[in-house]
Amino acid sequence: MDNEQSQVAAGSMVSKQVARRRALLVTAGAFVAGALGAAFFLRRQLLGLAVRAVPYVREPATINRPTLIINRWSGDGGAKRVGLEEACQAAGITTVMLEPEDDLAQLARDAIANGADAIGMAGGDGSLATVAAVAVEKGVPFFCVPVGTRNHFALDLGLDRDDPLSALDALSNGDLVKIDHGIAGGQFFLNNVSLGVYAQAIHHGEYRDNKKTTMAETFAAAAASSDDQAAIRYVT
């Protein structure tokens, strides 16, 4: 009787050990599976980040009939100062001079309709965005020449703002790069958009000639009355 009981007890202990081993194996298996799953997920995330970290996708450019629209007043006459029109003529680039009564977007559409396989703008960031929107609409490459006041977009592209004519080299010895653009309030923009009081201020006609006073007056009006503040609604 005692022998039988001891045998049963021994068998029970063996069963518990086997159960513990199985539990450990299951736990280890689950841990390994979880680790592999996490590694796979992390690898996918890192690959995705690596792809998104590449700022531009490049491909060789083949441009034969580029047209550049020039705003002669931009940057206090920067285009004339650097001899842009003459440089374009020497490089075989068709130029269109923007006049006060012109519709800039229509000028770009007309140039493409007349055979331009790349459309460019020499001017400020606002006029660049207008022409770039037409380039996207028509599916042709866009290029810019930094003769504006700030030339933020040209700076983001890595162009030399102190040597605007060097931007023309892209048409003969450059690459096409694909970038993102945005839409704000129905308006196309390239690299930045202004919201709120600052955007209100720059819409005043006197802003360009008297920035500090215009900004101060706009801020004061917005602070004094909520009716004078910019109404902003975000949809993401």
Side-chain angles (χ1 to χ4, degrees):
M1 190 68 173
D2 291 341
N3 188 37
E4 290 178 356
Q5 288 177 341
S6 63
Q7 288 178 351
V8 171
S12 176
M13 290 176 64
V14 170
S15 297
K16 289 180 179 179
Q17 290 175 352
V18 171
R20 281 198 294 269
R21 287 172 184 167
R22 287 177 178 173
L24 287 172
L25 287 173
V26 170
T27 302
F31 176 79
V32 171
L36 289 174
F40 179 73
F41 174 79
L42 182 60
R43 179 176 178 272
R44 288 184 61 185
Q45 293 297 105
L46 289 175
L47 286 175
L49 287 172
V51 170
R52 290 193 295 273
V54 177
Y56 303 120
V57 177
R58 294 180 175 271
E59 59 185 71
T62 303
I63 297 172
N64 299 310
R65 297 186 62 187
T67 293
L68 177 66
I69 303 173
I70 300 174
N71 181 354
R72 70 187 81 196
W73 302 282
S74 184
D76 296 326
K80 184 176 182 179
R81 190 164 53 249
V82 301
L84 179 57
E85 187 175 13
E86 294 77 12
C88 287
Q89 290 174 352
I93 301 168
T94 301
T95 58
V96 176
M97 301 303 295
L98 179 67
E99 302 296 341
E101 67 277 6
D102 285 337
D103 181 330
L104 180 55
Q106 191 58 49
L107 285 181
R109 292 190 184 97
D110 291 343
I112 295 170
N114 289 330
D117 59 356
I119 187 71
M121 183 68 209
D125 288 314
S127 56
L128 261 61
T130 298
V131 176
V134 175
V136 171
E137 172 192 321
K138 299 297 183 181
V140 302
F142 168 74
F143 64 99
C144 74
V145 179
V147 295
T149 304
R150 297 286 182 266
N151 303 299
H152 292 124
F153 181 62
L155 176 64
D156 289 344
L157 285 183
L159 297 178
D160 186 350
R161 296 181 296 176
D162 295 325
D163 183 13
L165 297 183
S166 64
L168 301 178
D169 295 340
L171 299 172
S172 58
N173 187 30
D175 294 331
L176 293 179
V177 296
K178 294 183 179 180
I179 64 171
D180 292 328
H181 68 270
I183 304 292
Q187 297 295 313
F188 181 104
F189 70 93
L190 288 170
N191 60 325
N192 59 56
V193 62
S194 298
L195 305 173
V197 177
Y198 177 70
Q200 286 179 289
I202 62 176
H203 275 82
H204 286 286
E206 59 272 19
Y207 173 79
R208 182 173 293 276
D209 295 326
N210 199 346
K211 293 182 175 63
K212 291 182 179 179
T213 301
T214 304
M215 286 294 297
E217 291 175 351
T218 305
F219 271 96
S225 171
S226 60
D227 293 335
D228 290 323
Q229 295 177 13
I232 302 174
R233 179 170 176 263
Y234 297 92
V235 179
T236 60

